[in-house]
Amino acid sequence: MIQYGHNQKKKKDKGRFSMQKMELKLNGKVVFIDFETTGLDPVENQLIEYAVIVYENGKETLRESQCVKLERGQRLSEFIEKLTGYDEDYLNAHGITLREAYERLKEIIGFDGTDGKTVIVAHNCQFDASFLDAMSVKFDGKRLKADFFDTLTVCRTQQEYGNRLAECCERYGIVIPRTHEAMNDTEGLAKLTKALLNERIDYYSEFLNRFGYSERYGKPKYLLVGIEYFPQ
C-alpha cells in the first residue's frame, strides 16, 4: 500500500475501543491485504512484498507474508528502498517469483467471482486491487472479479485529510510499529476495520465495492471491474 497526500495533524481520539475484546463482525471469508511495490503503476511496476491475514466467520485462520523477486527490467528506486527497507539483492536472493506470488494469492483469496462469501479489504484498496487485477491479466488473461471493501473510503467520510493508514489507526488508538512493512500494515488494517465496523456495521453494506477518489486528482486511470467510483 503506497499513499501520497496531506500530512495535516488532527486531534487524536485514542482508547475509544478495546481491541482485545473487539470481534470482526462479518461472516464468510475476509482477506486483509497489503502490498509493497516498485511504484504506483500496476502495469509498469510490480509487487515486491505481500501480506495477508484471513478471517473466516470472525476468526483468524491464516497470516502470511512474502517478498518477491524483481522481474526482468524492474528496478528499485532509492525512494522505494528507503520506504520499504528492501534492496534488489535481498529481494532476488530471498523472494519468490511474481508468478508464484500471484498463484499463492489466488489460492488464499480465490478469484472465482463475487459470490458474497469472500471480501478483500485494504486501505486505499484501489492501489492493491489494481496490482491484483494486473497480475490476473498478465498470468491468467482475464480481469479480476472480487468483492472489495476500502477503509480509506470510509475514513474519508470522517474527515477530508489525514487519512493515511497510520493516521486513521491512531484515531482509534491503534499503533503500527513500522509502516510500509507489509505485515505490520496488514495487522493495523485488520484492527482498523474492526474498529470501524464496531462503530458502524452499516459501513460495510454502504461501501462494499464502492471506492471514493479525491476530486483534486480525479478518477483513477486504472478502473476495476465491478467497482463504483465516486468523488469525495
Side-chain angles (χ1 to χ4, degrees), residues 2-218:
I2 295 181
Q3 276 187 262
Y4 299 97
H6 299 269
N7 191 22
Q8 185 175 335
K9 291 184 178 179
K10 293 288 180 178
K11 292 182 179 179
K12 300 175 183 178
D13 189 10
K14 294 186 176 182
R16 198 188 309 177
F17 298 103
S18 170
M19 298 309 302
Q20 289 79 13
K21 297 179 181 180
M22 194 175 298
E23 296 180 353
L24 182 65
K25 295 183 176 180
L26 292 177
N27 293 321
K29 186 176 181 180
V30 181
V31 183
F32 299 95
I33 65 169
D34 184 82
F35 289 171
E36 303 300 333
T37 67
T38 58
L40 298 174
D41 190 315
V43 177
E44 298 296 328
N45 300 122
Q46 75 153 88
L47 175 71
I48 60 171
E49 183 188 22
Y50 71 80
V52 295
I53 297 177
V54 179
Y55 276 71
E56 296 183 72
N57 297 319
K59 304 296 182 182
E60 183 180 327
T61 57
L62 180 143
R63 63 174 55 204
E64 179 176 311
S65 63
Q66 178 65 54
C67 60
V68 181
K69 295 179 189 291
L70 294 176
E71 297 269 278
R72 182 175 296 180
Q74 290 286 335
R75 301 298 302 271
L76 283 190
S77 67
E78 183 178 350
F79 173 77
I80 296 296
E81 287 185 351
K82 289 181 178 179
L83 188 72
T84 64
Y86 286 121
D87 60 35
E88 293 182 5
D89 289 341
Y90 183 89
L91 292 176
N92 291 328
H94 299 282
I96 60 176
T97 68
L98 186 62
R99 176 179 277 279
E100 288 172 333
Y102 170 69
E103 294 296 338
R104 179 57 180 153
L105 287 167
K106 186 166 67 170
E107 179 183 3
I108 293 170
I109 299 169
F111 294 163
D112 297 327
T114 53
D115 58 5
K117 297 179 182 178
T118 301
V119 62
I120 300 169
V121 181
H123 194 78
N124 191 13
C125 199
Q126 169 66 27
F127 175 81
D128 304 89
S130 65
F131 274 85
L132 269 178
D133 186 78
M135 286 189 286
S136 180
V137 171
K138 179 182 177 72
F139 295 120
D140 283 340
K142 60 183 180 181
R143 301 297 302 273
L144 175 65
K145 293 182 179 180
D147 285 321
F148 295 100
F149 183 73
D150 180 29
T151 54
L152 174 60
T153 295
V154 176
C155 290
R156 279 178 175 157
T157 67
Q158 299 174 340
Q159 61 184 43
E160 186 176 0
Y161 301 124
N163 287 310
R164 295 176 181 174
L165 177 61
E167 294 170 319
C168 295
C169 284
E170 188 178 31
R171 297 206 288 267
Y172 292 93
I174 303 162
V175 177
I176 300 176
R178 181 185 182 276
T179 59
H180 294 290
E181 191 282 322
M183 185 53 77
N184 284 347
D185 284 351
T186 308
E187 289 175 347
L189 169 67
K191 291 176 181 179
L192 175 63
T193 304
K194 291 178 184 180
L196 290 170
L197 296 183
N198 272 264
E199 186 175 60
R200 271 188 57 191
I201 188 61
D202 60 338
Y203 278 143
Y204 181 74
S205 58
E206 184 176 353
F207 293 107
L208 183 67
N209 295 324
R210 300 184 69 224
F211 292 176
Y213 62 87
S214 169
E215 290 188 277
R216 178 180 177 183
Y217 298 107

